[in-house]
Amino acid sequence: MAKVDARLAVVQVGEFAVGVTVAYAAIGLAWSLSGALWPMLLVAAVMVAAGVALELRFGSKATGLFVGLVPTSVFAAGLLGALSLVAYRLD
């Protein structure tokens, strides 16, 4: 039984890594292409909606992906949004 639990934990850690990578890549791409606040917030909202939909569809099998995707996308959008607002203020 312990072997199955360890395998599940490894899969969820991998899902977490994929979720973090996808969130950073999507938010970073939106920021690099536009440099504006609204596209990043829109991409973050899409990431959150996708994470919630995946969690509702697959349940506990997608928990690692959800935990990697949702907080990271919100954090990255907030961080890069604050950086954009500071950069606009300096202009």
Side-chain angles (χ1 to χ4, degrees), residues 26-37 39-40 80-81 83-84 87-88:
I27 300 295
L29 183 66
W31 186 64
S32 67
L33 290 178
S34 68
L37 182 63
M40 284 187 302
L80 291 175
L83 181 65
S84 295
Y88 290 145

PDB file of all heavy atoms in Angstrom, residues 26-37 39-40 80-81 83-84 87-88:
ATOM      1  N   ALA A  26       2.926  31.385 -19.248  1.00  0.00           N
ATOM      2  CA  ALA A  26       1.773  32.099 -19.814  1.00  0.00           C
ATOM      3  C   ALA A  26       1.744  33.560 -19.371  1.00  0.00           C
ATOM      4  O   ALA A  26       1.555  34.459 -20.189  1.00  0.00           O
ATOM      5  CB  ALA A  26       0.481  31.402 -19.410  1.00  0.00           C
ATOM      6  N   ILE A  27       1.955  33.796 -18.082  1.00  0.00           N
ATOM      7  CA  ILE A  27       1.937  35.172 -17.580  1.00  0.00           C
ATOM      8  C   ILE A  27       3.133  35.945 -18.122  1.00  0.00           C
ATOM      9  O   ILE A  27       3.013  37.103 -18.535  1.00  0.00           O
ATOM     10  CB  ILE A  27       1.918  35.192 -16.041  1.00  0.00           C
ATOM     11  CG1 ILE A  27       0.683  34.470 -15.506  1.00  0.00           C
ATOM     12  CG2 ILE A  27       1.992  36.610 -15.504  1.00  0.00           C
ATOM     13  CD1 ILE A  27      -0.619  35.108 -15.841  1.00  0.00           C
ATOM     14  N   GLY A  28       4.296  35.328 -18.141  1.00  0.00           N
ATOM     15  CA  GLY A  28       5.491  35.986 -18.684  1.00  0.00           C
ATOM     16  C   GLY A  28       5.352  36.303 -20.157  1.00  0.00           C
ATOM     17  O   GLY A  28       5.774  37.365 -20.618  1.00  0.00           O
ATOM     18  N   LEU A  29       4.741  35.409 -20.909  1.00  0.00           N
ATOM     19  CA  LEU A  29       4.522  35.658 -22.330  1.00  0.00           C
ATOM     20  C   LEU A  29       3.550  36.816 -22.536  1.00  0.00           C
ATOM     21  O   LEU A  29       3.786  37.687 -23.379  1.00  0.00           O
ATOM     22  CB  LEU A  29       4.003  34.396 -23.014  1.00  0.00           C
ATOM     23  CG  LEU A  29       3.791  34.483 -24.515  1.00  0.00           C
ATOM     24  CD1 LEU A  29       5.128  34.662 -25.225  1.00  0.00           C
ATOM     25  CD2 LEU A  29       3.090  33.240 -25.013  1.00  0.00           C
ATOM     26  N   ALA A  30       2.480  36.842 -21.773  1.00  0.00           N
ATOM     27  CA  ALA A  30       1.515  37.945 -21.880  1.00  0.00           C
ATOM     28  C   ALA A  30       2.174  39.266 -21.514  1.00  0.00           C
ATOM     29  O   ALA A  30       1.925  40.288 -22.155  1.00  0.00           O
ATOM     30  CB  ALA A  30       0.315  37.686 -20.978  1.00  0.00           C
ATOM     31  N   TRP A  31       3.031  39.248 -20.504  1.00  0.00           N
ATOM     32  CA  TRP A  31       3.700  40.481 -20.091  1.00  0.00           C
ATOM     33  C   TRP A  31       4.730  40.927 -21.122  1.00  0.00           C
ATOM     34  O   TRP A  31       4.836  42.110 -21.439  1.00  0.00           O
ATOM     35  CB  TRP A  31       4.377  40.278 -18.742  1.00  0.00           C
ATOM     36  CG  TRP A  31       4.965  41.525 -18.175  1.00  0.00           C
ATOM     37  CD1 TRP A  31       4.306  42.647 -17.800  1.00  0.00           C
ATOM     38  CD2 TRP A  31       6.342  41.774 -17.924  1.00  0.00           C
ATOM     39  NE1 TRP A  31       5.192  43.571 -17.313  1.00  0.00           N
ATOM     40  CE2 TRP A  31       6.442  43.061 -17.379  1.00  0.00           C
ATOM     41  CE3 TRP A  31       7.496  41.021 -18.092  1.00  0.00           C
ATOM     42  CZ2 TRP A  31       7.655  43.617 -17.011  1.00  0.00           C
ATOM     43  CZ3 TRP A  31       8.695  41.570 -17.725  1.00  0.00           C
ATOM     44  CH2 TRP A  31       8.771  42.859 -17.193  1.00  0.00           C
ATOM     45  N   SER A  32       5.477  39.983 -21.670  1.00  0.00           N
ATOM     46  CA  SER A  32       6.509  40.364 -22.636  1.00  0.00           C
ATOM     47  C   SER A  32       5.914  40.827 -23.957  1.00  0.00           C
ATOM     48  O   SER A  32       6.493  41.681 -24.625  1.00  0.00           O
ATOM     49  CB  SER A  32       7.481  39.213 -22.865  1.00  0.00           C
ATOM     50  OG  SER A  32       6.820  38.141 -23.509  1.00  0.00           O
ATOM     51  N   LEU A  33       4.775  40.275 -24.339  1.00  0.00           N
ATOM     52  CA  LEU A  33       4.164  40.687 -25.599  1.00  0.00           C
ATOM     53  C   LEU A  33       3.440  42.014 -25.497  1.00  0.00           C
ATOM     54  O   LEU A  33       3.417  42.786 -26.459  1.00  0.00           O
ATOM     55  CB  LEU A  33       3.195  39.610 -26.093  1.00  0.00           C
ATOM     56  CG  LEU A  33       3.830  38.317 -26.588  1.00  0.00           C
ATOM     57  CD1 LEU A  33       2.755  37.324 -27.003  1.00  0.00           C
ATOM     58  CD2 LEU A  33       4.778  38.575 -27.737  1.00  0.00           C
ATOM     59  N   SER A  34       2.841  42.301 -24.348  1.00  0.00           N
ATOM     60  CA  SER A  34       2.039  43.521 -24.259  1.00  0.00           C
ATOM     61  C   SER A  34       2.663  44.568 -23.351  1.00  0.00           C
ATOM     62  O   SER A  34       2.603  45.750 -23.652  1.00  0.00           O
ATOM     63  CB  SER A  34       0.635  43.196 -23.758  1.00  0.00           C
ATOM     64  OG  SER A  34       0.703  42.772 -22.409  1.00  0.00           O
ATOM     65  N   GLY A  35       3.206  44.146 -22.229  1.00  0.00           N
ATOM     66  CA  GLY A  35       3.744  45.097 -21.257  1.00  0.00           C
ATOM     67  C   GLY A  35       2.655  45.825 -20.491  1.00  0.00           C
ATOM     68  O   GLY A  35       2.948  46.713 -19.699  1.00  0.00           O
ATOM     69  N   ALA A  36       1.419  45.458 -20.714  1.00  0.00           N
ATOM     70  CA  ALA A  36       0.297  46.121 -20.060  1.00  0.00           C
ATOM     71  C   ALA A  36      -0.263  45.236 -18.951  1.00  0.00           C
ATOM     72  O   ALA A  36       0.024  44.042 -18.870  1.00  0.00           O
ATOM     73  CB  ALA A  36      -0.789  46.432 -21.079  1.00  0.00           C
ATOM     74  N   LEU A  37      -1.078  45.836 -18.110  1.00  0.00           N
ATOM     75  CA  LEU A  37      -1.623  45.138 -16.959  1.00  0.00           C
ATOM     76  C   LEU A  37      -2.792  44.234 -17.324  1.00  0.00           C
ATOM     77  O   LEU A  37      -2.886  43.101 -16.839  1.00  0.00           O
ATOM     78  CB  LEU A  37      -2.056  46.175 -15.918  1.00  0.00           C
ATOM     79  CG  LEU A  37      -2.607  45.657 -14.613  1.00  0.00           C
ATOM     80  CD1 LEU A  37      -1.552  44.865 -13.880  1.00  0.00           C
ATOM     81  CD2 LEU A  37      -3.107  46.802 -13.766  1.00  0.00           C
ATOM     82  N   PRO A  39      -3.810  42.478 -20.103  1.00  0.00           N
ATOM     83  CA  PRO A  39      -3.592  41.138 -20.680  1.00  0.00           C
ATOM     84  C   PRO A  39      -3.072  40.124 -19.658  1.00  0.00           C
ATOM     85  O   PRO A  39      -3.460  38.956 -19.694  1.00  0.00           O
ATOM     86  CB  PRO A  39      -2.560  41.382 -21.780  1.00  0.00           C
ATOM     87  CG  PRO A  39      -2.748  42.793 -22.154  1.00  0.00           C
ATOM     88  CD  PRO A  39      -3.113  43.500 -20.891  1.00  0.00           C
ATOM     89  N   MET A  40      -2.231  40.567 -18.740  1.00  0.00           N
ATOM     90  CA  MET A  40      -1.743  39.651 -17.700  1.00  0.00           C
ATOM     91  C   MET A  40      -2.867  39.209 -16.785  1.00  0.00           C
ATOM     92  O   MET A  40      -2.951  38.041 -16.415  1.00  0.00           O
ATOM     93  CB  MET A  40      -0.649  40.317 -16.865  1.00  0.00           C
ATOM     94  CG  MET A  40       0.670  40.400 -17.545  1.00  0.00           C
ATOM     95  SD  MET A  40       1.933  40.998 -16.438  1.00  0.00           S
ATOM     96  CE  MET A  40       1.276  42.568 -15.943  1.00  0.00           C
ATOM     97  N   LEU A  80       4.246  40.953 -11.689  1.00  0.00           N
ATOM     98  CA  LEU A  80       4.570  41.658 -12.925  1.00  0.00           C
ATOM     99  C   LEU A  80       3.650  42.860 -13.139  1.00  0.00           C
ATOM    100  O   LEU A  80       4.064  43.856 -13.746  1.00  0.00           O
ATOM    101  CB  LEU A  80       4.493  40.699 -14.108  1.00  0.00           C
ATOM    102  CG  LEU A  80       5.578  39.628 -14.129  1.00  0.00           C
ATOM    103  CD1 LEU A  80       5.343  38.660 -15.277  1.00  0.00           C
ATOM    104  CD2 LEU A  80       6.955  40.235 -14.227  1.00  0.00           C
ATOM    105  N   GLY A  81       2.421  42.802 -12.630  1.00  0.00           N
ATOM    106  CA  GLY A  81       1.540  43.969 -12.692  1.00  0.00           C
ATOM    107  C   GLY A  81       2.066  45.112 -11.854  1.00  0.00           C
ATOM    108  O   GLY A  81       2.047  46.272 -12.275  1.00  0.00           O
ATOM    109  N   LEU A  83       5.191  45.546 -11.085  1.00  0.00           N
ATOM    110  CA  LEU A  83       6.385  46.021 -11.791  1.00  0.00           C
ATOM    111  C   LEU A  83       6.008  46.926 -12.959  1.00  0.00           C
ATOM    112  O   LEU A  83       6.656  47.966 -13.184  1.00  0.00           O
ATOM    113  CB  LEU A  83       7.198  44.831 -12.283  1.00  0.00           C
ATOM    114  CG  LEU A  83       8.487  45.149 -13.029  1.00  0.00           C
ATOM    115  CD1 LEU A  83       9.477  45.844 -12.093  1.00  0.00           C
ATOM    116  CD2 LEU A  83       9.084  43.892 -13.596  1.00  0.00           C
ATOM    117  N   SER A  84       4.954  46.576 -13.681  1.00  0.00           N
ATOM    118  CA  SER A  84       4.485  47.412 -14.785  1.00  0.00           C
ATOM    119  C   SER A  84       4.002  48.760 -14.291  1.00  0.00           C
ATOM    120  O   SER A  84       4.299  49.801 -14.896  1.00  0.00           O
ATOM    121  CB  SER A  84       3.358  46.719 -15.534  1.00  0.00           C
ATOM    122  OG  SER A  84       3.793  45.564 -16.161  1.00  0.00           O
ATOM    123  N   ALA A  87       6.979  50.813 -13.395  1.00  0.00           N
ATOM    124  CA  ALA A  87       7.693  51.246 -14.599  1.00  0.00           C
ATOM    125  C   ALA A  87       6.933  52.376 -15.299  1.00  0.00           C
ATOM    126  O   ALA A  87       7.548  53.321 -15.806  1.00  0.00           O
ATOM    127  CB  ALA A  87       7.884  50.075 -15.543  1.00  0.00           C
ATOM    128  N   TYR A  88       5.606  52.290 -15.348  1.00  0.00           N
ATOM    129  CA  TYR A  88       4.818  53.363 -15.954  1.00  0.00           C
ATOM    130  C   TYR A  88       4.929  54.643 -15.149  1.00  0.00           C
ATOM    131  O   TYR A  88       4.939  55.739 -15.700  1.00  0.00           O
ATOM    132  CB  TYR A  88       3.359  52.961 -16.088  1.00  0.00           C
ATOM    133  CG  TYR A  88       3.089  51.900 -17.103  1.00  0.00           C
ATOM    134  CD1 TYR A  88       2.099  50.955 -16.900  1.00  0.00           C
ATOM    135  CD2 TYR A  88       3.818  51.812 -18.285  1.00  0.00           C
ATOM    136  CE1 TYR A  88       1.842  49.968 -17.836  1.00  0.00           C
ATOM    137  CE2 TYR A  88       3.583  50.836 -19.208  1.00  0.00           C
ATOM    138  CZ  TYR A  88       2.592  49.919 -18.988  1.00  0.00           C
ATOM    139  OH  TYR A  88       2.344  48.952 -19.897  1.00  0.00           O
TER     140      TYR A  88
END
